[in-house]
Amino acid sequence: MSKFEDRFNKRRLRTSYITTVISITLVLFMLGMLGLILINAKSLSDFVKENIKISVLINDNTTEPDIVQLQKSIEASQYVKDTEYITKEKAAQLVEKDLGENFISVLGFNPLSASIDIRLKAEYANNDSIKKIEKLLLKNNQVKEVFYQPSLIEKVNSNVSKISLFLLGFSLILFVIAFALINNTIRLAVYSKRLIIKSMQLVGATRGFIRWPFIFTGLMQGLISAVIAIILLSMTLKFASGYFPDFISNSDIKIYGIVYLTITIIGLLMSWISTYFAVRKYLKIRTTEIF
């Protein structure tokens, strides 16, 4: 019977250990994911802003060499990320694709103008900067009109700011929840061993002697959980970079290293604090109150 009980207790302790590691791993993984999202938030914001286009419509009497020269001069500007020259013919093809019919055959001529589509650098993708850029472009006699959507640009910038604030607030809330989850998980694990703690105390073991094995186990659980969480995060990051290569870069190892190190420190620190206070509770509790 004693052998059966011993085997049962070992299995229960092993199950408790694995459950604790899995719980901490999931919490650290969520924190790590949020950290990676925050790191890539600026890249994502820049990616969205730099896909906003403004169209520079060219006068019909402008020659092809002059348009190419104009494109080069625009592309050399500090506010430009890249440009694309849209000929009258290409513009007609794009409109025809959108309409689903050949409007030129109906009108008998192509009313569209050649244009240069500009994608701005992220820091210039706002209405105030674009207004200044528009004035500069209109000074050129070859430019007929500068077309963009102020309401769309305003909405993009407003939404990016709101998302940034939301992520910051969500990070703080998730951190508190993560600490509470890890704390409760470890407290439950220590609770299952409260009789062992009290028995050791009754035979004269010091508090430090009793506490150290639990703290060591808690630190090992935190470390193992952090390693598993880092592996899962690396796999997730590699998978995501295949779908979003424009704003998820694997080149900056230092930044991701900081996230992984932070995850490890959080795992160790939370496990240590939770274990310390959980064991302390049962060291202070009276024998009559332990059940």
Side-chain angles (χ1 to χ4, degrees):
M1 186 68 180
S2 60
K3 285 184 179 180
F4 175 78
E5 287 179 352
D6 184 55
R7 197 177 302 160
F8 175 76
N9 287 331
K10 283 183 179 179
R11 190 182 295 116
R12 188 173 63 178
L13 288 172
R14 195 183 300 116
T15 303
S16 174
Y17 189 95
I18 293 171
T19 303
T20 304
V21 168
I22 291 172
S23 300
I24 297 173
T25 298
L26 292 174
V27 172
L28 293 178
F29 176 74
M30 285 192 298
L31 286 174
M33 280 298 296
L34 189 60
L36 293 175
I37 290 170
L38 288 172
I39 282 174
N40 288 290
K42 187 180 184 306
S43 298
L44 179 57
S45 169
D46 290 350
F47 175 78
V48 172
K49 289 180 179 180
E50 288 174 353
N51 273 280
I52 296 173
K53 291 182 181 179
I54 62 173
S55 296
V56 179
L57 303 182
I58 310 299
N59 284 316
D60 292 336
N61 58 358
T62 307
T63 62
E64 191 81 13
D66 287 338
I67 295 174
V68 173
Q69 187 62 39
L70 175 62
Q71 183 184 10
K72 287 181 179 179
S73 66
I74 292 173
E75 212 161 49
S77 303
Q78 62 178 3
Y79 52 81
V80 174
K81 187 176 188 295
D82 58 48
T83 63
E84 183 184 3
Y85 171 40
I86 308 294
T87 63
K88 287 170 67 72
E89 292 74 20
K90 187 175 180 180
Q93 289 173 4
L94 292 172
V95 172
E96 185 179 334
K97 187 177 179 182
D98 290 337
L99 294 176
E101 60 178 328
N102 189 345
F103 69 98
I104 294 177
S105 61
V106 176
L107 297 175
F109 68 100
N110 184 357
L112 302 175
S113 300
S115 65
I116 298 172
D117 285 350
I118 302 173
R119 290 202 304 165
L120 301 173
K121 291 178 180 176
E123 58 267 33
Y124 294 97
N126 58 78
N127 283 328
D128 290 337
S129 297
I130 292 175
K131 284 177 183 176
K132 294 176 183 178
I133 294 167
E134 181 184 15
K135 288 179 181 178
L136 288 173
L137 291 170
L138 288 173
K139 287 180 181 179
N140 193 309
N141 295 328
Q142 296 166 342
V143 176
K144 178 166 64 175
E145 185 184 348
V146 176
F147 176 78
Y148 64 97
Q149 295 177 285
S151 58
L152 175 63
I153 294 166
E154 186 64 36
K155 195 169 184 179
V156 167
N157 283 282
S158 175
N159 287 339
V160 165
S161 299
K162 287 177 182 177
I163 290 169
S164 300
L165 288 173
F166 171 78
L167 285 175
L168 183 61
F170 185 69
S171 302
L172 295 173
I173 293 169
L174 185 59
F175 185 80
V176 173
I177 294 172
F179 182 81
L181 286 173
I182 291 176
N183 185 55
N184 288 336
T185 301
I186 292 175
R187 278 179 177 274
L188 286 171
V190 173
Y191 173 78
S192 66
K193 302 169 188 175
R194 67 195 185 284
L195 295 176
I196 298 173
I197 294 172
K198 190 51 67 176
S199 298
M200 292 174 71
Q201 195 175 25
L202 289 172
V203 297
T206 62
R207 290 190 174 189
F209 181 82
I210 297 170
R211 189 184 293 123
W212 168 242
F214 288 96
I215 289 177
F216 178 77
T217 301
L219 289 173
M220 287 303 297
Q221 287 173 335
L223 182 61
I224 293 169
S225 299
V227 170
I228 297 172
I230 287 169
I231 292 170
L232 292 174
L233 286 168
S234 299
M235 291 171 63
T236 303
L237 190 64
K238 186 176 181 180
F239 177 78
S241 64
Y243 285 91
F244 309 105
D246 290 318
F247 58 88
I248 295 181
S249 173
N250 293 317
S251 59
D252 202 341
I253 304 298
K254 186 178 178 181
I255 294 177
Y256 295 121
I258 291 171
V259 174
Y260 295 158
L261 180 62
T262 303
I263 289 300
T264 305
I265 291 171
I266 289 173
L268 291 172
L269 195 59
M270 285 186 172
S271 298
W272 177 76
I273 292 171
S274 299
T275 304
Y276 177 86
F277 285 104
V279 174
R280 192 176 113 175
K281 175 186 176 182
Y282 293 108
L283 286 172
K284 286 187 171 184
I285 201 169
R286 293 178 182 177
T287 306
T288 53
E289 298 173 348
I290 203 166
F291 294 100

